[in-house]
Structures are given as structure tokens and as C-alpha cells.
Amino acid sequence: MNALLLIALGLLDAAFAGFRAYAGRDGRIRKRQAALAAARRGLTLGVPALLVTAAVAGGVLLGAGDRGDRYTELDDAASRMLLVYAPYVAVVLASLGCYLWGNFRISTLAVVIGLGPLTLLRPFVVLAGAVAAARESLPGAAVAAVATAGVLAVEPLVHRRWYAVPV
């Protein structure tokens, strides 16, 4: 179950990474289609990163003498990651909700004190989750390291591939 939650977070993060790579590069007023395309581009690179992580986790499980114990160890590492990510995700989603459904002042406030600073903190939160996963498990550390590299690579790769030149 923890792995499924992390996969869902990874996919959501990849879509947002695609959007962040695009945001601010287009002066058009109506840019919903372009924003959705940017999110799809993030997923285009995020899904392979998640598949590589799943392959590493599968290899760790297959190489274990006792797969049940190894699965429990990896699930505990995933649980520790979620303990780090859950508060961050809750605040981001609350800020996003205020941005999307609040009036103009609330939307602006959500960006200035919520989404902007949280975007700057994101790499540190991702790394803190990896450290939490690695704290008690070398196999968990290996899977977390691959996942962290994949998550942190999506946005720069989307930017470099599709948005190196302003729209």
C-alpha cells in the first residue's frame, strides 16, 4: 500500500514538474491546453523514472534470501518516506486549493506564502524522505536513491527538452 501511495505522489509530482518547467514562459491569457501539455510532458519523463525505481525495487526483492522480510523492510522504508512527504503534500494541496478556488487576494497569498516557498523547499523534502528511508535499511536506501534521482531529474529534463527557448 505504501508503494502505491509513493507511486501516486511520484506521478502527481511529475505532472507538476512539467507544469513548473512551463510556467511563466508563455504570455498568452488562455493557456489551459499548453499547461495540460506541459503536465503530460512531465508524466512522459516521470513514468520511466518510476519504472526504473520499480525495477530496482523488484531486483532488490528478487535478490533477497527471504523475500517476505525484504518486502517488509522496503515497505517500512516507504512508510518512513511517507511520514516526511505527507505534511508537505498536505500544505501544498491546501495552498493549491486556495490558489484555484480562492478569490484574487487569497490566490495571490497562496502563491506568495505557499506555493512559491514550497517549490524552493521541494528538493530538500525529497532528500529528507530518502534519508528517512535509508535510516534503517540499506536496500531501502538503494531504492530511495534511485527514486530521488528520478523525481529530481524530471523538471530540469522537461525544461531542457521542451522549454529551453521561451514560448
Side-chain angles (χ1 to χ4, degrees), residues 12-41:
L12 186 64
D13 185 74
F16 283 138
F19 174 77
R20 283 190 308 271
Y22 161 77
R25 301 188 178 283
D26 190 341
R28 293 177 287 186
I29 292 173
R30 291 183 182 89
K31 47 190 166 190
R32 180 182 172 112
Q33 293 301 323
L36 290 173
R40 283 191 300 272
R41 289 172 175 167

mmCIF file with all atom_site columns, all heavy atoms in Angstrom, residues 12-41:
data_model
loop_
_atom_site.group_PDB
_atom_site.id
_atom_site.type_symbol
_atom_site.label_atom_id
_atom_site.label_alt_id
_atom_site.label_comp_id
_atom_site.label_asym_id
_atom_site.label_entity_id
_atom_site.label_seq_id
_atom_site.pdbx_PDB_ins_code
_atom_site.Cartn_x
_atom_site.Cartn_y
_atom_site.Cartn_z
_atom_site.occupancy
_atom_site.B_iso_or_equiv
_atom_site.pdbx_formal_charge
_atom_site.auth_seq_id
_atom_site.auth_comp_id
_atom_site.auth_asym_id
_atom_site.auth_atom_id
_atom_site.pdbx_PDB_model_num
ATOM 1   N N   . LEU A 1 12 ? 1.974   12.469 -9.589  1.00 0.00 ? 12 LEU A N   1
ATOM 2   C CA  . LEU A 1 12 ? 1.477   13.829 -9.367  1.00 0.00 ? 12 LEU A CA  1
ATOM 3   C C   . LEU A 1 12 ? 2.634   14.825 -9.421  1.00 0.00 ? 12 LEU A C   1
ATOM 4   O O   . LEU A 1 12 ? 2.533   15.887 -10.048 1.00 0.00 ? 12 LEU A O   1
ATOM 5   C CB  . LEU A 1 12 ? 0.757   13.897 -8.023  1.00 0.00 ? 12 LEU A CB  1
ATOM 6   C CG  . LEU A 1 12 ? 0.045   15.190 -7.685  1.00 0.00 ? 12 LEU A CG  1
ATOM 7   C CD1 . LEU A 1 12 ? -1.091  15.447 -8.665  1.00 0.00 ? 12 LEU A CD1 1
ATOM 8   C CD2 . LEU A 1 12 ? -0.508  15.114 -6.266  1.00 0.00 ? 12 LEU A CD2 1
ATOM 9   N N   . ASP A 1 13 ? 3.741   14.482 -8.792  1.00 0.00 ? 13 ASP A N   1
ATOM 10  C CA  . ASP A 1 13 ? 4.906   15.358 -8.805  1.00 0.00 ? 13 ASP A CA  1
ATOM 11  C C   . ASP A 1 13 ? 5.455   15.528 -10.217 1.00 0.00 ? 13 ASP A C   1
ATOM 12  O O   . ASP A 1 13 ? 5.858   16.628 -10.598 1.00 0.00 ? 13 ASP A O   1
ATOM 13  C CB  . ASP A 1 13 ? 5.995   14.807 -7.879  1.00 0.00 ? 13 ASP A CB  1
ATOM 14  C CG  . ASP A 1 13 ? 7.167   15.754 -7.780  1.00 0.00 ? 13 ASP A CG  1
ATOM 15  O OD1 . ASP A 1 13 ? 7.027   16.793 -7.111  1.00 0.00 ? 13 ASP A OD1 1
ATOM 16  O OD2 . ASP A 1 13 ? 8.216   15.474 -8.391  1.00 0.00 ? 13 ASP A OD2 1
ATOM 17  N N   . ALA A 1 14 ? 5.461   14.465 -11.005 1.00 0.00 ? 14 ALA A N   1
ATOM 18  C CA  . ALA A 1 14 ? 5.950   14.565 -12.385 1.00 0.00 ? 14 ALA A CA  1
ATOM 19  C C   . ALA A 1 14 ? 5.077   15.507 -13.211 1.00 0.00 ? 14 ALA A C   1
ATOM 20  O O   . ALA A 1 14 ? 5.585   16.320 -13.987 1.00 0.00 ? 14 ALA A O   1
ATOM 21  C CB  . ALA A 1 14 ? 5.994   13.177 -13.030 1.00 0.00 ? 14 ALA A CB  1
ATOM 22  N N   . ALA A 1 15 ? 3.765   15.411 -13.032 1.00 0.00 ? 15 ALA A N   1
ATOM 23  C CA  . ALA A 1 15 ? 2.862   16.316 -13.753 1.00 0.00 ? 15 ALA A CA  1
ATOM 24  C C   . ALA A 1 15 ? 3.112   17.761 -13.329 1.00 0.00 ? 15 ALA A C   1
ATOM 25  O O   . ALA A 1 15 ? 3.193   18.666 -14.171 1.00 0.00 ? 15 ALA A O   1
ATOM 26  C CB  . ALA A 1 15 ? 1.411   15.917 -13.507 1.00 0.00 ? 15 ALA A CB  1
ATOM 27  N N   . PHE A 1 16 ? 3.255   17.994 -12.024 1.00 0.00 ? 16 PHE A N   1
ATOM 28  C CA  . PHE A 1 16 ? 3.535   19.350 -11.546 1.00 0.00 ? 16 PHE A CA  1
ATOM 29  C C   . PHE A 1 16 ? 4.910   19.827 -12.009 1.00 0.00 ? 16 PHE A C   1
ATOM 30  O O   . PHE A 1 16 ? 5.101   21.011 -12.291 1.00 0.00 ? 16 PHE A O   1
ATOM 31  C CB  . PHE A 1 16 ? 3.442   19.430 -10.026 1.00 0.00 ? 16 PHE A CB  1
ATOM 32  C CG  . PHE A 1 16 ? 2.038   19.474 -9.502  1.00 0.00 ? 16 PHE A CG  1
ATOM 33  C CD1 . PHE A 1 16 ? 1.676   18.746 -8.393  1.00 0.00 ? 16 PHE A CD1 1
ATOM 34  C CD2 . PHE A 1 16 ? 1.063   20.245 -10.117 1.00 0.00 ? 16 PHE A CD2 1
ATOM 35  C CE1 . PHE A 1 16 ? 0.382   18.787 -7.889  1.00 0.00 ? 16 PHE A CE1 1
ATOM 36  C CE2 . PHE A 1 16 ? -0.231  20.303 -9.632  1.00 0.00 ? 16 PHE A CE2 1
ATOM 37  C CZ  . PHE A 1 16 ? -0.575  19.572 -8.518  1.00 0.00 ? 16 PHE A CZ  1
ATOM 38  N N   . ALA A 1 17 ? 5.877   18.924 -12.092 1.00 0.00 ? 17 ALA A N   1
ATOM 39  C CA  . ALA A 1 17 ? 7.212   19.299 -12.565 1.00 0.00 ? 17 ALA A CA  1
ATOM 40  C C   . ALA A 1 17 ? 7.146   19.767 -14.014 1.00 0.00 ? 17 ALA A C   1
ATOM 41  O O   . ALA A 1 17 ? 7.804   20.742 -14.393 1.00 0.00 ? 17 ALA A O   1
ATOM 42  C CB  . ALA A 1 17 ? 8.181   18.127 -12.427 1.00 0.00 ? 17 ALA A CB  1
ATOM 43  N N   . GLY A 1 18 ? 6.360   19.074 -14.820 1.00 0.00 ? 18 GLY A N   1
ATOM 44  C CA  . GLY A 1 18 ? 6.170   19.514 -16.200 1.00 0.00 ? 18 GLY A CA  1
ATOM 45  C C   . GLY A 1 18 ? 5.545   20.891 -16.258 1.00 0.00 ? 18 GLY A C   1
ATOM 46  O O   . GLY A 1 18 ? 5.972   21.763 -17.027 1.00 0.00 ? 18 GLY A O   1
ATOM 47  N N   . PHE A 1 19 ? 4.533   21.115 -15.416 1.00 0.00 ? 19 PHE A N   1
ATOM 48  C CA  . PHE A 1 19 ? 3.893   22.430 -15.373 1.00 0.00 ? 19 PHE A CA  1
ATOM 49  C C   . PHE A 1 19 ? 4.883   23.501 -14.912 1.00 0.00 ? 19 PHE A C   1
ATOM 50  O O   . PHE A 1 19 ? 4.939   24.591 -15.477 1.00 0.00 ? 19 PHE A O   1
ATOM 51  C CB  . PHE A 1 19 ? 2.667   22.410 -14.451 1.00 0.00 ? 19 PHE A CB  1
ATOM 52  C CG  . PHE A 1 19 ? 2.075   23.770 -14.267 1.00 0.00 ? 19 PHE A CG  1
ATOM 53  C CD1 . PHE A 1 19 ? 1.295   24.336 -15.253 1.00 0.00 ? 19 PHE A CD1 1
ATOM 54  C CD2 . PHE A 1 19 ? 2.337   24.491 -13.119 1.00 0.00 ? 19 PHE A CD2 1
ATOM 55  C CE1 . PHE A 1 19 ? 0.771   25.611 -15.098 1.00 0.00 ? 19 PHE A CE1 1
ATOM 56  C CE2 . PHE A 1 19 ? 1.821   25.764 -12.953 1.00 0.00 ? 19 PHE A CE2 1
ATOM 57  C CZ  . PHE A 1 19 ? 1.030   26.324 -13.943 1.00 0.00 ? 19 PHE A CZ  1
ATOM 58  N N   . ARG A 1 20 ? 5.670   23.203 -13.865 1.00 0.00 ? 20 ARG A N   1
ATOM 59  C CA  . ARG A 1 20 ? 6.621   24.203 -13.361 1.00 0.00 ? 20 ARG A CA  1
ATOM 60  C C   . ARG A 1 20 ? 7.663   24.562 -14.415 1.00 0.00 ? 20 ARG A C   1
ATOM 61  O O   . ARG A 1 20 ? 8.105   25.708 -14.500 1.00 0.00 ? 20 ARG A O   1
ATOM 62  C CB  . ARG A 1 20 ? 7.310   23.701 -12.085 1.00 0.00 ? 20 ARG A CB  1
ATOM 63  C CG  . ARG A 1 20 ? 6.454   23.799 -10.857 1.00 0.00 ? 20 ARG A CG  1
ATOM 64  C CD  . ARG A 1 20 ? 7.260   23.529 -9.587  1.00 0.00 ? 20 ARG A CD  1
ATOM 65  N NE  . ARG A 1 20 ? 8.017   22.293 -9.634  1.00 0.00 ? 20 ARG A NE  1
ATOM 66  C CZ  . ARG A 1 20 ? 7.562   21.109 -9.255  1.00 0.00 ? 20 ARG A CZ  1
ATOM 67  N NH1 . ARG A 1 20 ? 6.334   20.994 -8.795  1.00 0.00 ? 20 ARG A NH1 1
ATOM 68  N NH2 . ARG A 1 20 ? 8.328   20.035 -9.316  1.00 0.00 ? 20 ARG A NH2 1
ATOM 69  N N   . ALA A 1 21 ? 8.067   23.579 -15.220 1.00 0.00 ? 21 ALA A N   1
ATOM 70  C CA  . ALA A 1 21 ? 9.036   23.862 -16.281 1.00 0.00 ? 21 ALA A CA  1
ATOM 71  C C   . ALA A 1 21 ? 8.448   24.822 -17.316 1.00 0.00 ? 21 ALA A C   1
ATOM 72  O O   . ALA A 1 21 ? 9.168   25.608 -17.921 1.00 0.00 ? 21 ALA A O   1
ATOM 73  C CB  . ALA A 1 21 ? 9.475   22.557 -16.944 1.00 0.00 ? 21 ALA A CB  1
ATOM 74  N N   . TYR A 1 22 ? 7.147   24.778 -17.494 1.00 0.00 ? 22 TYR A N   1
ATOM 75  C CA  . TYR A 1 22 ? 6.463   25.616 -18.471 1.00 0.00 ? 22 TYR A CA  1
ATOM 76  C C   . TYR A 1 22 ? 6.028   26.961 -17.897 1.00 0.00 ? 22 TYR A C   1
ATOM 77  O O   . TYR A 1 22 ? 6.024   27.983 -18.595 1.00 0.00 ? 22 TYR A O   1
ATOM 78  C CB  . TYR A 1 22 ? 5.225   24.862 -18.991 1.00 0.00 ? 22 TYR A CB  1
ATOM 79  C CG  . TYR A 1 22 ? 4.187   25.734 -19.634 1.00 0.00 ? 22 TYR A CG  1
ATOM 80  C CD1 . TYR A 1 22 ? 4.380   26.227 -20.924 1.00 0.00 ? 22 TYR A CD1 1
ATOM 81  C CD2 . TYR A 1 22 ? 3.030   26.075 -18.957 1.00 0.00 ? 22 TYR A CD2 1
ATOM 82  C CE1 . TYR A 1 22 ? 3.422   27.027 -21.522 1.00 0.00 ? 22 TYR A CE1 1
ATOM 83  C CE2 . TYR A 1 22 ? 2.075   26.882 -19.544 1.00 0.00 ? 22 TYR A CE2 1
ATOM 84  C CZ  . TYR A 1 22 ? 2.277   27.358 -20.825 1.00 0.00 ? 22 TYR A CZ  1
ATOM 85  O OH  . TYR A 1 22 ? 1.340   28.156 -21.403 1.00 0.00 ? 22 TYR A OH  1
ATOM 86  N N   . ALA A 1 23 ? 5.690   27.005 -16.632 1.00 0.00 ? 23 ALA A N   1
ATOM 87  C CA  . ALA A 1 23 ? 5.082   28.185 -16.014 1.00 0.00 ? 23 ALA A CA  1
ATOM 88  C C   . ALA A 1 23 ? 5.948   29.427 -16.190 1.00 0.00 ? 23 ALA A C   1
ATOM 89  O O   . ALA A 1 23 ? 7.163   29.391 -16.021 1.00 0.00 ? 23 ALA A O   1
ATOM 90  C CB  . ALA A 1 23 ? 4.845   27.929 -14.526 1.00 0.00 ? 23 ALA A CB  1
ATOM 91  N N   . GLY A 1 24 ? 5.287   30.522 -16.534 1.00 0.00 ? 24 GLY A N   1
ATOM 92  C CA  . GLY A 1 24 ? 5.967   31.791 -16.686 1.00 0.00 ? 24 GLY A CA  1
ATOM 93  C C   . GLY A 1 24 ? 6.642   31.984 -18.030 1.00 0.00 ? 24 GLY A C   1
ATOM 94  O O   . GLY A 1 24 ? 7.260   33.009 -18.278 1.00 0.00 ? 24 GLY A O   1
ATOM 95  N N   . ARG A 1 25 ? 6.522   31.028 -18.929 1.00 0.00 ? 25 ARG A N   1
ATOM 96  C CA  . ARG A 1 25 ? 7.201   31.130 -20.220 1.00 0.00 ? 25 ARG A CA  1
ATOM 97  C C   . ARG A 1 25 ? 6.261   31.514 -21.356 1.00 0.00 ? 25 ARG A C   1
ATOM 98  O O   . ARG A 1 25 ? 6.669   31.594 -22.491 1.00 0.00 ? 25 ARG A O   1
ATOM 99  C CB  . ARG A 1 25 ? 7.853   29.798 -20.562 1.00 0.00 ? 25 ARG A CB  1
ATOM 100 C CG  . ARG A 1 25 ? 8.838   29.393 -19.519 1.00 0.00 ? 25 ARG A CG  1
ATOM 101 C CD  . ARG A 1 25 ? 9.622   28.192 -19.942 1.00 0.00 ? 25 ARG A CD  1
ATOM 102 N NE  . ARG A 1 25 ? 10.585  27.884 -18.915 1.00 0.00 ? 25 ARG A NE  1
ATOM 103 C CZ  . ARG A 1 25 ? 11.720  28.546 -18.733 1.00 0.00 ? 25 ARG A CZ  1
ATOM 104 N NH1 . ARG A 1 25 ? 12.023  29.536 -19.516 1.00 0.00 ? 25 ARG A NH1 1
ATOM 105 N NH2 . ARG A 1 25 ? 12.535  28.213 -17.765 1.00 0.00 ? 25 ARG A NH2 1
ATOM 106 N N   . ASP A 1 26 ? 5.011   31.706 -21.031 1.00 0.00 ? 26 ASP A N   1
ATOM 107 C CA  . ASP A 1 26 ? 4.005   31.929 -22.064 1.00 0.00 ? 26 ASP A CA  1
ATOM 108 C C   . ASP A 1 26 ? 3.136   33.112 -21.648 1.00 0.00 ? 26 ASP A C   1
ATOM 109 O O   . ASP A 1 26 ? 2.512   33.079 -20.587 1.00 0.00 ? 26 ASP A O   1
ATOM 110 C CB  . ASP A 1 26 ? 3.160   30.657 -22.205 1.00 0.00 ? 26 ASP A CB  1
ATOM 111 C CG  . ASP A 1 26 ? 2.251   30.675 -23.407 1.00 0.00 ? 26 ASP A CG  1
ATOM 112 O OD1 . ASP A 1 26 ? 1.990   31.767 -23.947 1.00 0.00 ? 26 ASP A OD1 1
ATOM 113 O OD2 . ASP A 1 26 ? 1.796   29.595 -23.795 1.00 0.00 ? 26 ASP A OD2 1
ATOM 114 N N   . GLY A 1 27 ? 3.111   34.149 -22.459 1.00 0.00 ? 27 GLY A N   1
ATOM 115 C CA  . GLY A 1 27 ? 2.367   35.350 -22.132 1.00 0.00 ? 27 GLY A CA  1
ATOM 116 C C   . GLY A 1 27 ? 0.900   35.310 -22.521 1.00 0.00 ? 27 GLY A C   1
ATOM 117 O O   . GLY A 1 27 ? 0.171   36.266 -22.263 1.00 0.00 ? 27 GLY A O   1
ATOM 118 N N   . ARG A 1 28 ? 0.454   34.236 -23.133 1.00 0.00 ? 28 ARG A N   1
ATOM 119 C CA  . ARG A 1 28 ? -0.955  34.167 -23.530 1.00 0.00 ? 28 ARG A CA  1
ATOM 120 C C   . ARG A 1 28 ? -1.859  34.119 -22.304 1.00 0.00 ? 28 ARG A C   1
ATOM 121 O O   . ARG A 1 28 ? -1.483  33.604 -21.261 1.00 0.00 ? 28 ARG A O   1
ATOM 122 C CB  . ARG A 1 28 ? -1.211  32.923 -24.387 1.00 0.00 ? 28 ARG A CB  1
ATOM 123 C CG  . ARG A 1 28 ? -0.508  32.988 -25.735 1.00 0.00 ? 28 ARG A CG  1
ATOM 124 C CD  . ARG A 1 28 ? -0.740  31.724 -26.509 1.00 0.00 ? 28 ARG A CD  1
ATOM 125 N NE  . ARG A 1 28 ? 0.070   30.666 -25.895 1.00 0.00 ? 28 ARG A NE  1
ATOM 126 C CZ  . ARG A 1 28 ? 0.186   29.448 -26.392 1.00 0.00 ? 28 ARG A CZ  1
ATOM 127 N NH1 . ARG A 1 28 ? -0.464  29.107 -27.475 1.00 0.00 ? 28 ARG A NH1 1
ATOM 128 N NH2 . ARG A 1 28 ? 0.934   28.566 -25.797 1.00 0.00 ? 28 ARG A NH2 1
ATOM 129 N N   . ILE A 1 29 ? -3.061  34.636 -22.458 1.00 0.00 ? 29 ILE A N   1
ATOM 130 C CA  . ILE A 1 29 ? -4.015  34.628 -21.360 1.00 0.00 ? 29 ILE A CA  1
ATOM 131 C C   . ILE A 1 29 ? -4.640  33.245 -21.223 1.00 0.00 ? 29 ILE A C   1
ATOM 132 O O   . ILE A 1 29 ? -4.710  32.687 -20.135 1.00 0.00 ? 29 ILE A O   1
ATOM 133 C CB  . ILE A 1 29 ? -5.099  35.707 -21.570 1.00 0.00 ? 29 ILE A CB  1
ATOM 134 C CG1 . ILE A 1 29 ? -4.450  37.078 -21.449 1.00 0.00 ? 29 ILE A CG1 1
ATOM 135 C CG2 . ILE A 1 29 ? -6.223  35.546 -20.551 1.00 0.00 ? 29 ILE A CG2 1
ATOM 136 C CD1 . ILE A 1 29 ? -5.348  38.226 -21.798 1.00 0.00 ? 29 ILE A CD1 1
ATOM 137 N N   . ARG A 1 30 ? -5.087  32.692 -22.301 1.00 0.00 ? 30 ARG A N   1
ATOM 138 C CA  . ARG A 1 30 ? -5.697  31.364 -22.274 1.00 0.00 ? 30 ARG A CA  1
ATOM 139 C C   . ARG A 1 30 ? -4.627  30.330 -22.606 1.00 0.00 ? 30 ARG A C   1
ATOM 140 O O   . ARG A 1 30 ? -4.257  30.172 -23.761 1.00 0.00 ? 30 ARG A O   1
ATOM 141 C CB  . ARG A 1 30 ? -6.853  31.296 -23.274 1.00 0.00 ? 30 ARG A CB  1
ATOM 142 C CG  . ARG A 1 30 ? -8.019  32.134 -22.853 1.00 0.00 ? 30 ARG A CG  1
ATOM 143 C CD  . ARG A 1 30 ? -9.193  31.997 -23.814 1.00 0.00 ? 30 ARG A CD  1
ATOM 144 N NE  . ARG A 1 30 ? -10.269 32.855 -23.411 1.00 0.00 ? 30 ARG A NE  1
ATOM 145 C CZ  . ARG A 1 30 ? -10.399 34.123 -23.801 1.00 0.00 ? 30 ARG A CZ  1
ATOM 146 N NH1 . ARG A 1 30 ? -9.519  34.660 -24.612 1.00 0.00 ? 30 ARG A NH1 1
ATOM 147 N NH2 . ARG A 1 30 ? -11.413 34.848 -23.375 1.00 0.00 ? 30 ARG A NH2 1
ATOM 148 N N   . LYS A 1 31 ? -4.174  29.654 -21.583 1.00 0.00 ? 31 LYS A N   1
ATOM 149 C CA  . LYS A 1 31 ? -3.093  28.686 -21.792 1.00 0.00 ? 31 LYS A CA  1
ATOM 150 C C   . LYS A 1 31 ? -3.373  27.351 -21.120 1.00 0.00 ? 31 LYS A C   1
ATOM 151 O O   . LYS A 1 31 ? -2.457  26.627 -20.775 1.00 0.00 ? 31 LYS A O   1
ATOM 152 C CB  . LYS A 1 31 ? -1.761  29.260 -21.349 1.00 0.00 ? 31 LYS A CB  1
ATOM 153 C CG  . LYS A 1 31 ? -1.742  29.920 -20.014 1.00 0.00 ? 31 LYS A CG  1
ATOM 154 C CD  . LYS A 1 31 ? -0.431  30.638 -19.820 1.00 0.00 ? 31 LYS A CD  1
ATOM 155 C CE  . LYS A 1 31 ? -0.537  31.577 -18.652 1.00 0.00 ? 31 LYS A CE  1
ATOM 156 N NZ  . LYS A 1 31 ? 0.601   32.444 -18.560 1.00 0.00 ? 31 LYS A NZ  1
ATOM 157 N N   . ARG A 1 32 ? -4.640  27.044 -20.955 1.00 0.00 ? 32 ARG A N   1
ATOM 158 C CA  . ARG A 1 32 ? -5.013  25.782 -20.320 1.00 0.00 ? 32 ARG A CA  1
ATOM 159 C C   . ARG A 1 32 ? -4.474  24.580 -21.091 1.00 0.00 ? 32 ARG A C   1
ATOM 160 O O   . ARG A 1 32 ? -3.917  23.658 -20.502 1.00 0.00 ? 32 ARG A O   1
ATOM 161 C CB  . ARG A 1 32 ? -6.532  25.700 -20.185 1.00 0.00 ? 32 ARG A CB  1
ATOM 162 C CG  . ARG A 1 32 ? -7.005  24.435 -19.541 1.00 0.00 ? 32 ARG A CG  1
ATOM 163 C CD  . ARG A 1 32 ? -8.529  24.381 -19.477 1.00 0.00 ? 32 ARG A CD  1
ATOM 164 N NE  . ARG A 1 32 ? -8.973  23.097 -19.042 1.00 0.00 ? 32 ARG A NE  1
ATOM 165 C CZ  . ARG A 1 32 ? -9.559  22.870 -17.891 1.00 0.00 ? 32 ARG A CZ  1
ATOM 166 N NH1 . ARG A 1 32 ? -9.782  23.852 -17.064 1.00 0.00 ? 32 ARG A NH1 1
ATOM 167 N NH2 . ARG A 1 32 ? -9.933  21.665 -17.559 1.00 0.00 ? 32 ARG A NH2 1
ATOM 168 N N   . GLN A 1 33 ? -4.627  24.578 -22.403 1.00 0.00 ? 33 GLN A N   1
ATOM 169 C CA  . GLN A 1 33 ? -4.146  23.449 -23.208 1.00 0.00 ? 33 GLN A CA  1
ATOM 170 C C   . GLN A 1 33 ? -2.622  23.316 -23.112 1.00 0.00 ? 33 GLN A C   1
ATOM 171 O O   . GLN A 1 33 ? -2.094  22.209 -23.021 1.00 0.00 ? 33 GLN A O   1
ATOM 172 C CB  . GLN A 1 33 ? -4.584  23.603 -24.667 1.00 0.00 ? 33 GLN A CB  1
ATOM 173 C CG  . GLN A 1 33 ? -6.083  23.503 -24.870 1.00 0.00 ? 33 GLN A CG  1
ATOM 174 C CD  . GLN A 1 33 ? -6.635  22.164 -24.379 1.00 0.00 ? 33 GLN A CD  1
ATOM 175 O OE1 . GLN A 1 33 ? -6.013  21.117 -24.500 1.00 0.00 ? 33 GLN A OE1 1
ATOM 176 N NE2 . GLN A 1 33 ? -7.824  22.212 -23.792 1.00 0.00 ? 33 GLN A NE2 1
ATOM 177 N N   . ALA A 1 34 ? -1.933  24.440 -23.126 1.00 0.00 ? 34 ALA A N   1
ATOM 178 C CA  . ALA A 1 34 ? -0.473  24.397 -23.023 1.00 0.00 ? 34 ALA A CA  1
ATOM 179 C C   . ALA A 1 34 ? -0.044  23.903 -21.641 1.00 0.00 ? 34 ALA A C   1
ATOM 180 O O   . ALA A 1 34 ? 0.933   23.149 -21.519 1.00 0.00 ? 34 ALA A O   1
ATOM 181 C CB  . ALA A 1 34 ? 0.109   25.778 -23.303 1.00 0.00 ? 34 ALA A CB  1
ATOM 182 N N   . ALA A 1 35 ? -0.761  24.283 -20.600 1.00 0.00 ? 35 ALA A N   1
ATOM 183 C CA  . ALA A 1 35 ? -0.435  23.819 -19.247 1.00 0.00 ? 35 ALA A CA  1
ATOM 184 C C   . ALA A 1 35 ? -0.680  22.315 -19.125 1.00 0.00 ? 35 ALA A C   1
ATOM 185 O O   . ALA A 1 35 ? 0.120   21.599 -18.502 1.00 0.00 ? 35 ALA A O   1
ATOM 186 C CB  . ALA A 1 35 ? -1.246  24.584 -18.213 1.00 0.00 ? 35 ALA A CB  1
ATOM 187 N N   . LEU A 1 36 ? -1.766  21.842 -19.716 1.00 0.00 ? 36 LEU A N   1
ATOM 188 C CA  . LEU A 1 36 ? -2.033  20.394 -19.703 1.00 0.00 ? 36 LEU A CA  1
ATOM 189 C C   . LEU A 1 36 ? -0.978  19.634 -20.498 1.00 0.00 ? 36 LEU A C   1
ATOM 190 O O   . LEU A 1 36 ? -0.544  18.549 -20.098 1.00 0.00 ? 36 LEU A O   1
ATOM 191 C CB  . LEU A 1 36 ? -3.430  20.105 -20.234 1.00 0.00 ? 36 LEU A CB  1
ATOM 192 C CG  . LEU A 1 36 ? -4.579  20.543 -19.324 1.00 0.00 ? 36 LEU A CG  1
ATOM 193 C CD1 . LEU A 1 36 ? -5.923  20.365 -20.031 1.00 0.00 ? 36 LEU A CD1 1
ATOM 194 C CD2 . LEU A 1 36 ? -4.558  19.788 -18.019 1.00 0.00 ? 36 LEU A CD2 1
ATOM 195 N N   . ALA A 1 37 ? -0.555  20.210 -21.621 1.00 0.00 ? 37 ALA A N   1
ATOM 196 C CA  . ALA A 1 37 ? 0.514   19.567 -22.408 1.00 0.00 ? 37 ALA A CA  1
ATOM 197 C C   . ALA A 1 37 ? 1.809   19.516 -21.600 1.00 0.00 ? 37 ALA A C   1
ATOM 198 O O   . ALA A 1 37 ? 2.537   18.514 -21.639 1.00 0.00 ? 37 ALA A O   1
ATOM 199 C CB  . ALA A 1 37 ? 0.732   20.324 -23.717 1.00 0.00 ? 37 ALA A CB  1
ATOM 200 N N   . ALA A 1 38 ? 2.088   20.569 -20.848 1.00 0.00 ? 38 ALA A N   1
ATOM 201 C CA  . ALA A 1 38 ? 3.292   20.583 -20.009 1.00 0.00 ? 38 ALA A CA  1
ATOM 202 C C   . ALA A 1 38 ? 3.218   19.506 -18.932 1.00 0.00 ? 38 ALA A C   1
ATOM 203 O O   . ALA A 1 38 ? 4.208   18.821 -18.656 1.00 0.00 ? 38 ALA A O   1
ATOM 204 C CB  . ALA A 1 38 ? 3.461   21.959 -19.375 1.00 0.00 ? 38 ALA A CB  1
ATOM 205 N N   . ALA A 1 39 ? 2.040   19.337 -18.333 1.00 0.00 ? 39 ALA A N   1
ATOM 206 C CA  . ALA A 1 39 ? 1.870   18.280 -17.325 1.00 0.00 ? 39 ALA A CA  1
ATOM 207 C C   . ALA A 1 39 ? 2.067   16.909 -17.954 1.00 0.00 ? 39 ALA A C   1
ATOM 208 O O   . ALA A 1 39 ? 2.710   16.031 -17.355 1.00 0.00 ? 39 ALA A O   1
ATOM 209 C CB  . ALA A 1 39 ? 0.495   18.391 -16.670 1.00 0.00 ? 39 ALA A CB  1
ATOM 210 N N   . ARG A 1 40 ? 1.547   16.719 -19.160 1.00 0.00 ? 40 ARG A N   1
ATOM 211 C CA  . ARG A 1 40 ? 1.754   15.434 -19.860 1.00 0.00 ? 40 ARG A CA  1
ATOM 212 C C   . ARG A 1 40 ? 3.229   15.209 -20.163 1.00 0.00 ? 40 ARG A C   1
ATOM 213 O O   . ARG A 1 40 ? 3.724   14.086 -20.088 1.00 0.00 ? 40 ARG A O   1
ATOM 214 C CB  . ARG A 1 40 ? 0.929   15.386 -21.144 1.00 0.00 ? 40 ARG A CB  1
ATOM 215 C CG  . ARG A 1 40 ? -0.534  15.119 -20.914 1.00 0.00 ? 40 ARG A CG  1
ATOM 216 C CD  . ARG A 1 40 ? -1.276  14.811 -22.218 1.00 0.00 ? 40 ARG A CD  1
ATOM 217 N NE  . ARG A 1 40 ? -1.204  15.894 -23.179 1.00 0.00 ? 40 ARG A NE  1
ATOM 218 C CZ  . ARG A 1 40 ? -2.062  16.918 -23.246 1.00 0.00 ? 40 ARG A CZ  1
ATOM 219 N NH1 . ARG A 1 40 ? -3.053  16.990 -22.389 1.00 0.00 ? 40 ARG A NH1 1
ATOM 220 N NH2 . ARG A 1 40 ? -1.923  17.850 -24.163 1.00 0.00 ? 40 ARG A NH2 1
ATOM 221 N N   . ARG A 1 41 ? 3.929   16.263 -20.488 1.00 0.00 ? 41 ARG A N   1
ATOM 222 C CA  . ARG A 1 41 ? 5.368   16.129 -20.743 1.00 0.00 ? 41 ARG A CA  1
ATOM 223 C C   . ARG A 1 41 ? 6.107   15.709 -19.474 1.00 0.00 ? 41 ARG A C   1
ATOM 224 O O   . ARG A 1 41 ? 7.046   14.915 -19.533 1.00 0.00 ? 41 ARG A O   1
ATOM 225 C CB  . ARG A 1 41 ? 5.918   17.440 -21.299 1.00 0.00 ? 41 ARG A CB  1
ATOM 226 C CG  . ARG A 1 41 ? 5.440   17.687 -22.711 1.00 0.00 ? 41 ARG A CG  1
ATOM 227 C CD  . ARG A 1 41 ? 5.803   19.051 -23.219 1.00 0.00 ? 41 ARG A CD  1
ATOM 228 N NE  . ARG A 1 41 ? 5.412   19.154 -24.619 1.00 0.00 ? 41 ARG A NE  1
ATOM 229 C CZ  . ARG A 1 41 ? 5.368   20.270 -25.288 1.00 0.00 ? 41 ARG A CZ  1
ATOM 230 N NH1 . ARG A 1 41 ? 5.704   21.418 -24.692 1.00 0.00 ? 41 ARG A NH1 1
ATOM 231 N NH2 . ARG A 1 41 ? 5.004   20.282 -26.552 1.00 0.00 ? 41 ARG A NH2 1
#
